[in-house]
Amino acid sequence: MNVLLAGGAGYIGSHTAVELLNSGHDVVIADNYSNSCPEAVRRVEELTGKTVRVYEADVRDHDAVRRIFTENKIDCVIHFAGLKAVGESVEKPVMYYRNNIDTTLTLLECMAEAGVKRIVFSSSATVYGEENEPPYTEEMPRGTCSNPYGWTKAMMEQILEDAAHADPALSVILLRYFNPIGAHASGRIGEDPQGIPNNLMPYVSQVAVGRRDHLTVFGDDYPTPDGTGLRDYIHVVDLAIGHVKAVEYAENHTGAEVFNLGTGTPYSVLEIVNTFRETNQIDVPYEIGPRRAGDLPSSYADAKKAEKILGWKAERNLADMCRDTWKWQSGNPMGYREG
């Protein structure tokens, strides 16, 4: 299939591009590089030996997206395009609602014009909210989100479900990610956040490489074994393979369907830090700080549905995630900006 990756030059998009290309699919990328860079796409081509057609485009721009569909026979869309920093979404909610929801509406409108009937959406476990108790199953209702970023994901899920209900030929696959970390085993592509990292693992790796002097662990008084928050961390390559499975499933599917992509095994913040230290034989100084508002004590998946229906299961363990993160960060101390 020919798959359009909206926001495909980013962290998850670039890894998914590699797995799609290695599985025999063709890839078209649309990205405005607001949180990514062209070098990532060049390295995808280097890793796969294949060419990717790339459009520097804002996915909210109808004319730009319409042109992509006109110039390419697209079979399926994967929607990665969106802003994703929780803290920033609290500070700039209108920007988040405008950007994230507009990208979804524009894609759906342009897909309808072009007769494209398959879309895989990059959603998040944050839509389970605070009412549901882990492990989260796909049958649980969406909960109350604690920040505008989470609400945009919940709203986009609803928009896509309504679109599928209105068009019986449409296939909508909602992939609820847990916490993607790690990098390609080659060390050539990985997570390269702009500015101060919002997530734990890139912060850990930037401390290890000397870009930050220490890590702050937000809270050590949660009702968990070591007092720090528990999360379901998934290797980004496993996550990318999940997208390949979803695209192939969508080929003979209609309606809207939800899948969790996680390992089902939660790890604490201190387990991440200690495994990173042990696996890579490098120190990660840290200090304990106060809890962050909106952080839950525990969040992890029940991923049995994806295994049963998609034939997908996370294969890589925490040591793999830590090792591959360090291979990427140590080989690219300043990320892609070093070329």
Side-chain angles (χ1 to χ4, degrees), residues 179 181 200 231-235 263 265 267-269 272 321:
N179 293 267
I181 60 175
L200 175 63
R231 296 291 180 270
D232 188 336
Y233 294 94
I234 177 173
H235 197 295
T263 65
T265 302
Y267 298 102
S268 75
V269 174
I272 294 283
M321 301 178 210

Side-chain angles (χ1 to χ4, degrees), residues 203-280:
Y203 211 111
V204 167
S205 64
Q206 288 189 13
V207 170
V209 85
R211 282 176 64 178
R212 315 270 167 203
D213 60 341
H214 73 280
L215 168 74
T216 299
V217 175
F218 297 110
D220 66 348
D221 58 349
Y222 286 106
T224 62
D226 64 17
T228 62
L230 290 168
R231 296 291 180 270
D232 188 336
Y233 294 94
I234 177 173
H235 197 295
V236 68
V237 173
D238 281 330
L239 186 67
I241 293 167
H243 287 75
V244 178
K245 297 288 191 181
V247 165
E248 292 169 350
Y249 177 69
E251 191 168 10
N252 297 300
H253 168 268
T254 56
E257 194 152 2
V258 178
F259 293 99
N260 288 334
L261 294 185
T263 65
T265 302
Y267 298 102
S268 75
V269 174
L270 290 183
E271 280 183 282
I272 294 283
V273 172
N274 291 331
T275 303
F276 192 95
R277 285 170 158 174
E278 292 162 10
T279 302
N280 300 309

Side-chain angles (χ1 to χ4, degrees), residues 125-165:
T126 190
V127 303
Y128 288 112
E130 299 177 9
E131 297 89 339
N132 294 302
E133 292 290 329
Y136 301 124
T137 66
E138 292 87 347
E139 293 74 28
M140 290 176 174
R142 285 187 287 264
T144 302
C145 299
S146 59
N147 55 73
Y149 160 76
W151 279 118
T152 67
K153 292 294 188 185
M155 291 174 181
M156 289 186 281
E157 282 197 3
Q158 187 67 56
I159 289 166
L160 287 159
E161 287 174 352
D162 290 344
H165 180 74

